[in-house]
């Protein structure tokens, strides 16, 4: 019998549901919509969670579940496979972390849940949030294993028999090959940011990892987009999966005003510093396409007197962790990063995002601007462009179904809209909703 919530009927229900999978194959393509509606769950108490988890959630400052949490937690507690499409910043870690923790059996020493994600930063972020969820469950152990960290340190952690392993694909396979991670007793496998992970070329690794888990393992996939590769993995490893879609609309839609500004070369640095000063921004992220650009921009901003640091692939993991913690602690104001290095960054109070370079992929634009406008705060996104970039920007507008407003400077150097209105006045007015939610025409 698979582990379940002690003393609850869901123990038998989990066993029954998981045994419905055909013994000859894991494949299945029937999909179901979640039976529990999100609007029926107004409080975490409505989910009948353990007192320890409820205390931890309250300590984290959460009073009500987000839509993805309200829809996912009951389904996972019932043992169902899940494929969820949800925008950035909607509380996915708690959505899968809470049911995993509720169903753990501390007496079993093998890993009972494995969470696979594409980058080191996201791996560290997920593990940290899960540790907050088990604040009042000292009997539950969590390990994060990822490339760039000394293998000896990870071996020491794994010898303590963690119940939950959070990992990047390559390092997890390394430990599986060494025999230091055994997935034979895993009852829940989570693929977080599945679309990005498969796009990065990890599809074979993901198949090897899922193939090492029992045939009745609960497989849960979270993805910003449902690509062909995501569908292929779902077809092969999920059975009667419940589909969950959380649209970025209403209260769940990030409040992000999006602007474009004609600016190129070194002029972008001057314009960016001017916008930061004019709008009194204290927590900013700047995205570049290349790590060499990140290095050069970081140095130029520092020489200009800006409080800045950077993240890119050539920085050792230990230093990247220190940079991220310093940014969270507010020790510097501007973080310059590449797209891959910034994956997994979860800071609620980023005020603005600057696209120093227009992203090469439409999905990157969404991931970039998703760093701001979190926790129902207002956010801003600025994209620098040249006249030749207009067609590229039009593609991004069509893909994101959002209005990216032209911005310029008036004679006094103040940022203004096309009609001459000051950006700050527009943002503070009732027209704010029109700026950040208006959809473009196809």
């Amino acid at each position: 019998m698979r582990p379940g919530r002690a003393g609850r009927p869901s123990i038998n229900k989990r066993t029954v549901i998981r045994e419905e999978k055909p013994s000859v194959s894991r494949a299945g393509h029937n999909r179901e919509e979640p039976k529990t509606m999100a609007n029926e769950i107004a409080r975490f108490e409505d989910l009948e969670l353990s007192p320890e988890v409820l205390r931890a959630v309250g300590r984290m400052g959460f009073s009500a579940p987000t839509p993805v949490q309200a829809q996912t937690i009951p389904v996972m507690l019932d043992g169902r496979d899940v494929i969820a499409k949800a925008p950035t910043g909607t509380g996915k870690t708690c959505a899968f972390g809470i049911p995993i923790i509720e169903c753990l059996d501390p007496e079993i020493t093998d890993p009972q849940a494995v969470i696979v994600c594409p980058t080191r930063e996201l791996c560290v972020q997920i593990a940290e949030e899960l540790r907050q969820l088990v604040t009042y469950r000292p009997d539950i152990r969590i390990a994060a294993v990822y490339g760039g960290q000394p293998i000896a340190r990870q071996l020491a952690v794994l010898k303590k028999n963690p119940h939950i392993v959070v990992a990047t694909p390559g390092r997890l396979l390394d430990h599986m090959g060494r025999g230091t991670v055994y997935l034979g007793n895993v009852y829940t496998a989570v693929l977080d940011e599945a679309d990005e992970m498969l796009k990065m070329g990890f599809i074979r690794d993901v198949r090897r990892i899922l193939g090492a888990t029992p045939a009745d393992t609960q497989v849960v996939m979270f993805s910003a987009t449902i690509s062909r590769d995501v569908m292929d993995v779902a077809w092969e490893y999920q059975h009667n999966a419940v589909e969950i879609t959380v649209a970025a609309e209403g209260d769940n839609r990030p409040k992000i005003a999006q602007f474009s500004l004609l600016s190129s070369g070194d002029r972008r640095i001057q314009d960016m510093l001017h916008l930061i000063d004019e709008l009194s921004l204290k927590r900013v992220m700047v995205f570049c396409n290349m790590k060499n650009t990140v290095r050069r921009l970081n140095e130029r901003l520092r020489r200009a007197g800006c409080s800045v640091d950077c993240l890119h692939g050539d920085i050792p993991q230990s230093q990247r962790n220190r940079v991220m913690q310093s940014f969270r602690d507010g020790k510097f104001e501007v973080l310059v990063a590449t797209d891959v290095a910034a994956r997994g960054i979860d800071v609620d109070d980023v005020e603005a995002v600057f696209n120093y370079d227009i992203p090469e992929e439409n999905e990157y634009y969404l991931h970039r601007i998703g760093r701001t406008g979190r926790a129902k705060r207002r956010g801003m996104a600025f994209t620098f462009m040249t006249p030749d970039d207009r067609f590229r920007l039009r593609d991004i507008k069509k893909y994101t179904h959002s209005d990216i407003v032209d911005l310029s400077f008036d004679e006094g150097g103040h940022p203004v809209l096309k009609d001459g209105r000051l950006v700050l006045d527009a943002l503070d007015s009732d027209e704010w909703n029109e700026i950040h939610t208006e959809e473009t025409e196809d």
Side-chain angles (χ1 to χ4, degrees):
M1 182 181 294
R2 290 285 172 202
R5 297 190 290 183
R8 292 176 179 245
S10 60
I11 297 178
N12 292 331
K13 191 173 184 182
R14 170 180 287 278
T15 305
V16 171
I17 290 173
R18 303 312 296 163
E19 288 177 351
E20 287 176 356
K21 282 192 175 182
S23 58
V24 295
S25 173
R26 302 177 64 150
H29 60 277
N30 295 323
R31 299 266 174 80
E32 294 185 15
E33 299 295 329
K35 294 179 180 179
T36 303
M37 301 301 293
N39 56 13
E40 297 175 1
I41 300 173
R43 307 175 305 155
F44 280 103
E45 287 80 1
D46 297 333
L47 294 166
E48 299 183 3
L49 304 177
S50 63
E52 295 83 1
V53 168
L54 287 174
R55 283 182 67 195
V57 168
R59 185 173 182 269
M60 294 167 72
F62 304 140
S63 57
T66 65
V68 71
Q69 293 164 0
Q71 293 184 58
T72 303
I73 292 173
V75 174
M76 283 189 64
L77 287 173
D78 279 345
R80 306 300 302 273
D81 288 357
V82 172
I83 181 166
K85 179 181 177 182
T88 303
T90 53
K92 292 180 290 181
T93 302
C94 284
F96 61 74
I98 287 174
I100 285 174
I101 292 165
E102 288 287 350
C103 295
L104 279 175
D105 183 351
E107 300 300 318
I108 298 177
T109 56
D110 290 327
Q112 296 169 57
V114 60
I115 300 160
V116 188
C117 52
T119 67
R120 293 172 283 189
E121 287 74 23
L122 185 56
C123 182
V124 172
Q125 182 68 40
I126 291 172
E128 177 57 32
E129 193 161 344
L130 292 178
R131 290 188 182 105
Q132 293 183 55
L133 284 173
V134 298
T135 298
Y136 304 104
R137 290 291 307 274
D139 55 336
I140 295 178
R141 297 177 294 278
I142 299 166
V145 296
Y146 48 87
Q149 186 183 52
I151 194 75
R153 185 183 304 173
Q154 294 179 2
L155 292 174
V157 173
L158 292 172
K159 284 181 180 178
K160 297 179 181 178
N161 301 318
H163 300 100
I164 303 171
V165 174
V166 188
T168 52
R171 184 54 62 96
L172 180 57
L173 286 174
D174 184 2
H175 282 291
M176 290 167 60
R178 292 168 179 263
T180 50
V181 171
Y182 173 65
L183 303 184
N185 276 323
V186 165
Y187 72 81
T188 298
V190 177
L191 303 183
D192 193 20
E193 298 202 359
D195 54 342
E196 187 67 19
M197 189 155 44
L198 300 181
K199 187 192 301 181
M200 292 168 67
F202 289 123
I203 189 164
R204 290 185 179 179
D205 293 351
V206 167
R207 284 195 166 108
R208 287 177 61 190
I209 292 165
L210 293 179
T213 64
D216 63 348
T217 295
Q218 178 185 45
V219 178
V220 178
M221 299 172 65
F222 283 87
S223 188
T225 60
I226 306 299
S227 64
R228 179 71 259 174
D229 285 340
V230 172
M231 292 295 291
D232 287 345
V233 172
W235 179 276
E236 186 173 356
Y237 293 99
Q238 292 188 315
H239 177 69
N240 288 342
V242 176
E243 281 193 9
I244 293 172
T245 299
V246 177
E249 59 186 20
D251 289 340
N252 197 51
R253 183 184 180 93
K255 295 178 173 60
I256 305 171
Q258 302 169 56
F259 304 99
S260 62
L261 177 65
L262 281 171
S263 186
S264 60
D266 290 344
R267 177 74 188 180
R268 290 174 292 180
I269 299 176
Q270 181 179 343
D271 288 341
M272 181 166 58
L273 290 173
H274 191 64
L275 283 167
I276 290 173
D277 182 57
E278 280 286 318
L279 301 175
S280 301
L281 302 175
K282 300 299 182 184
R283 188 70 68 92
V284 172
M285 291 189 66
V286 184
F287 286 95
C288 306
N289 291 340
M290 306 293 290
K291 54 191 174 186
N292 287 336
T293 309
V294 168
R295 281 192 287 259
R296 289 196 300 268
L297 180 59
N298 181 61
E299 185 58 34
R300 292 288 300 276
L301 291 174
R302 183 168 286 142
R303 289 204 301 265
C306 186
S307 174
V308 63
D309 212 328
C310 67
L311 288 175
H312 56 74
D314 289 346
I315 295 177
Q317 183 62 39
S318 58
Q319 183 180 341
R320 292 162 78 170
N321 291 344
R322 288 195 296 272
V323 170
M324 270 311 309
Q325 191 57 51
S326 294
F327 187 57
R328 291 190 186 98
D329 294 342
K331 294 181 179 178
F332 62 92
E333 296 179 355
V334 179
L335 177 64
V336 186
T338 56
D339 292 290
V340 173
R343 300 293 289 186
I345 292 176
D346 191 3
V347 180
D348 284 340
D349 55 351
V350 172
E351 297 173 287
V353 166
F354 285 86
N355 292 310
Y356 190 78
D357 298 316
I358 286 190
E360 296 172 345
E361 301 287 343
N362 292 336
E363 293 92 339
Y364 288 171
Y365 180 84
L366 286 177
H367 286 302
R368 288 180 179 187
I369 70 171
R371 302 303 105 190
T372 187
R374 292 191 163 204
K376 298 185 179 180
R377 292 183 173 91
R378 185 179 74 181
M380 290 174 278
F382 301 91
T383 300
F384 293 123
M385 56 176 289
T386 67
D388 293 338
D389 292 325
R390 290 194 180 277
F391 290 106
R392 178 77 190 93
L393 193 66
R394 186 181 67 180
D395 288 342
I396 291 175
K397 287 182 179 181
K398 187 173 182 179
Y399 177 81
T400 60
H401 298 287
S402 59
D403 193 21
I404 303 176
V405 180
D406 291 337
L407 178 148
S408 60
F409 295 105
D410 63 14
E411 292 181 357
H414 305 296
V416 295
L417 305 181
K418 267 185 176 181
D419 57 8
R421 287 178 299 160
L422 293 174
V423 168
L424 277 177
D425 290 344
L427 294 179
D428 291 336
S429 72
D430 292 337
E431 297 172 49
W432 157 251
N433 287 331
E434 296 178 12
I435 294 174
H436 84 273
T437 61
E438 182 179 348
E439 295 189 352
T440 56
E441 297 180 0
D442 292 336

